């Protein structure tokens, strides 16, 4: 068993969905009551096996956690709530069509203090194309309802690059999303994974030039409206950064439980089985890898350079006993000449251009 002493972050995967979206390649299953009940029972056993307590962040993702019936949903949220410390972030993902008053009341009762809602678009035509089961009027109603229940820390997901989407569609989306007045927005370009409906329908991803233009438009627009891009795909008002996701981006330890979940504990990265039969039989972890010293440094750079504020050179030195500027001197000079990175006293970070060409930055360094 992995040593989870001092672990303060937990990811919980709920794989069930009432429908499958056209772009989704996450670990998911159609919702069947019998399987969902058995799954939650086994999930609790897996959670118990880690002996967790005093957690600072819990993130319940999917799939669609809110696809669970109210009884199962309450048992899950109640069970997780007892693991929290005094100062915590407890976040639950939700879809617009099943974020009900009952589920909001359950979450409020057991201390959930952050919601992440899959909006994806404000254009009903695009929502239909993507296989979503809501329209934008539903989105507005659900977010207003969540606020009535006292939820102020709300993220909404938005995607761009759908077939036929023009820049004016994106700008209209951004105006509509900002009008929802949430404190956090996550924005992703459409990627086409194998075994998705879009892949089977031969839908193509947006070309690189259009994707860059859309992304730059997103960054500029949201900055003008008071949102800081603190990570390549995430924008927030002050004091509303995702604490749980920042654990990932700072390459810190976390436990992952549930079908297909990943975890990172003391330089060991693991992945749970995606086979529901094996999982229900108590066979959780399918792959486990202990990272070498070089791989640990690579992971540090891969994650921390996604952050707009980068990382502290002194932190790198403390962790790895190496002077980053000396170790990567020639590579840094190449990136600086192309205005992709900047050194600001004790901080190393990418520029706006570097964020746009993040893969190039990482390939150069690694």
């Amino acid at each position: 068993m992995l040593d989870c002493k001092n672990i303060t972050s937990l990811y919980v995967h709920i794989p069930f969905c009432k429908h499958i979206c056209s772009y989704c390649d996450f670990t998911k299953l159609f919702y069947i009551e019998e399987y969902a009940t058995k799954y939650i029972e086994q999930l609790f056993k897996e959670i118990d096996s880690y002996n967790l307590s005093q957690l600072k962040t819990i993130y319940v993702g999917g799939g669609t956690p809110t696809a669970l019936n109210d009884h199962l949903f309450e048992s899950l949220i109640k069970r997780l709530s007892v693991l929290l410390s005094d100062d915590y972030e407890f976040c639950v993902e939700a879809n617009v069509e099943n974020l009900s008053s009952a589920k909001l009341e359950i979450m409020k009762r057991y201390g959930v203090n952050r919601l992440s809602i899959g909006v994806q678009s404000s254009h009903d035509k695009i929502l239909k194309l993507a296989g979503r089961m809501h329209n934008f009027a539903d989105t507005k109603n659900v977010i207003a309802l969540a606020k009535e229940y006292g939820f102020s820390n709300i993220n909404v997901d938005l995607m761009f690059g759908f077939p036929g989407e023009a820049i004016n569609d994106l700008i209209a989306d951004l105006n509509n999303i900002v009008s929802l007045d949430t404190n956090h927005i996550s924005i992703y370009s459409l990627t086409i994974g194998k075994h998705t409906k879009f892949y089977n329908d031969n839908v193509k991803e947006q070309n690189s030039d259009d994707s860059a233009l859309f992304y730059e438009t997103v960054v500029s627009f949201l900055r003008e409206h008071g949102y800081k891009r603190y990570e390549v795909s995430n924008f927030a008002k002050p004091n509303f950064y995702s604490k749980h996701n920042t654990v990932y981006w700072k390459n810190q330890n976390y436990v992952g439980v549930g079908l297909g979940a990943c975890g990172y504990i003391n330089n060991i990265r693991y992945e749970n089985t995606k086979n529901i039969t094996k999982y229900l039989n108590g066979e959780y972890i399918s792959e486990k890898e202990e990272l070498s010293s070089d791989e640990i440094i690579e992971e540090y750079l891969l994650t921390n350079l996604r952050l707009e504020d980068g990382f502290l050179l002194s932190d790198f030195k403390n962790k790895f006993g190496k002077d980053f500027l000396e170790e990567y001197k020639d590579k840094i000079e190449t990136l600086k000449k192309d205005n992709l990175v900047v050194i600001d006293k004790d901080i190393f970070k990418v520029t706006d251009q570097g964020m746009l060409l993040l893969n190039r930055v990482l390939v150069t360094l690694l």
Side-chain angles (χ1 to χ4, degrees):
M1 178 56 63
L2 296 164
D3 179 12
C4 295
K5 187 178 181 181
N6 300 323
I7 299 291
T8 59
S9 290
L10 172 67
Y11 172 76
V12 181
H13 192 75
I14 304 300
F16 300 104
C17 293
K18 293 290 181 69
H19 64 276
I20 306 299
C21 299
S22 304
Y23 53 83
C24 182
D25 63 353
F26 293 131
T27 302
K28 73 272 185 188
L29 301 166
F30 276 113
Y31 184 82
I32 299 173
E33 198 80 32
E34 179 185 357
Y35 272 105
T37 300
K38 291 178 179 178
Y39 180 83
I40 294 298
E41 291 173 358
Q42 195 61 243
L43 182 70
F44 289 173
K45 292 178 183 178
E46 186 187 7
I47 291 170
D48 289 342
S49 73
Y50 284 103
N51 296 313
L52 300 168
S53 64
Q54 295 298 300
L55 295 175
K56 293 181 179 177
T57 74
I58 297 177
Y59 191 104
V60 185
T64 313
T66 49
L68 295 172
N69 68 35
D70 291 348
H71 172 71
L72 286 177
F73 187 76
E74 180 171 5
S75 67
L76 172 66
I77 301 304
K78 182 179 180 180
R79 175 67 184 83
L80 294 174
S81 68
V82 302
L83 302 177
L84 292 163
S85 65
D86 292 335
D87 181 24
Y88 66 85
E89 177 187 273
F90 187 2
C91 181
V92 176
E93 285 185 357
N95 274 0
V96 171
E97 71 272 14
N98 48 36
L99 183 55
S100 62
S101 293
K103 287 190 168 66
L104 286 165
E105 192 277 327
I106 289 166
M107 288 189 283
K108 199 66 183 173
R109 191 189 325 154
Y110 293 108
V112 173
N113 58 8
R114 186 176 190 268
L115 301 177
S116 184
I117 302 174
V119 174
Q120 314 311 353
S121 176
S122 66
H123 301 295
D124 292 349
K125 182 178 179 181
I126 289 178
L127 289 169
K128 186 175 181 180
L129 175 69
R132 304 296 289 182
M133 296 292 109
H134 69 273
N135 57 39
F136 191 58
D138 297 329
T139 297
K140 290 187 284 189
N141 291 337
V142 158
I143 289 178
L145 184 63
K147 290 178 180 179
E148 285 179 21
Y149 274 86
F151 289 96
S152 59
N153 192 354
I154 302 174
N155 170 65
V156 293
D157 287 342
L158 178 68
M159 297 178 70
F160 66 80
F162 287 100
E165 185 177 2
I167 193 70
N168 287 340
D169 297 321
L170 173 66
I171 292 169
D173 251 343
L174 291 169
N175 274 302
N176 289 332
I177 292 298
V178 165
S179 74
L180 297 173
D181 192 28
T182 64
N183 290 304
H184 195 288
I185 303 172
S186 298
I187 301 188
Y188 309 97
S189 61
L190 175 68
T191 56
I192 309 296
K194 289 184 177 181
H195 312 301
T196 63
K197 183 179 186 302
F198 274 160
Y199 180 85
N200 293 334
D201 292 345
N202 203 32
V203 172
K204 302 300 181 185
E205 293 179 6
Q206 197 174 40
N207 67 60
S208 58
D209 287 343
D210 285 345
S211 184
L213 173 62
F214 274 47
Y215 181 71
E216 289 177 306
T217 301
V218 166
V219 174
S220 176
F221 185 98
L222 291 182
R223 281 177 174 167
E224 289 176 6
H225 288 80
Y227 293 86
K228 176 180 176 177
R229 177 189 58 187
Y230 69 101
E231 191 271 344
V232 63
S233 299
N234 286 272
F235 302 76
K237 297 284 183 68
N239 302 316
F240 284 95
Y241 296 179
S242 168
K243 294 178 181 178
H244 182 85
N245 288 339
T246 300
V247 169
Y248 303 153
W249 301 321
K250 288 186 175 291
N251 201 38
Q252 296 170 347
N253 290 330
Y254 64 96
V255 169
V257 296
L259 196 70
C262 296
Y264 184 62
I265 302 172
N266 299 324
N267 302 324
I268 295 174
R269 194 166 292 287
Y270 70 88
E271 183 176 351
N272 274 3
T273 181
K274 296 180 180 179
N275 183 310
I276 185 63
T277 302
K278 287 184 177 180
Y279 186 83
L280 293 179
N281 285 331
E283 300 174 45
Y284 307 132
I285 297 176
S286 61
E287 296 180 25
K288 190 189 298 183
E289 177 190 10
E290 185 167 3
L291 303 184
S292 68
S293 55
D294 287 344
E295 287 171 332
I296 294 167
I297 292 174
E298 287 183 11
E299 289 279 326
Y300 181 91
L301 296 177
L302 283 168
T303 52
N304 278 269
L305 287 177
R306 295 178 63 86
L307 296 168
E308 187 167 276
D309 291 341
F311 62 86
L312 297 176
L313 296 170
S314 55
D315 182 59
F316 187 92
K317 181 72 177 290
N318 291 336
K319 275 184 165 58
F320 307 116
K322 297 180 180 181
D323 186 316
F324 178 77
L325 298 184
E326 281 297 319
E327 199 75 17
Y328 294 85
K329 184 176 180 180
D330 293 340
K331 295 175 179 180
I332 291 170
E333 284 305 313
T334 298
L335 293 169
K336 283 175 66 178
K337 286 177 183 176
D338 293 336
N339 191 34
L340 299 180
V341 300
V342 65
I343 300 164
D344 182 8
K345 297 178 183 177
D346 189 38
I347 297 171
F348 183 84
K349 59 184 179 179
V350 297
T351 60
D352 278 354
Q353 181 71 3
M355 195 68 84
L356 190 62
L357 301 173
L358 188 56
N359 285 343
R360 180 177 158 190
V361 172
L362 296 170
V363 166
T364 300
L365 287 172
L366 304 177

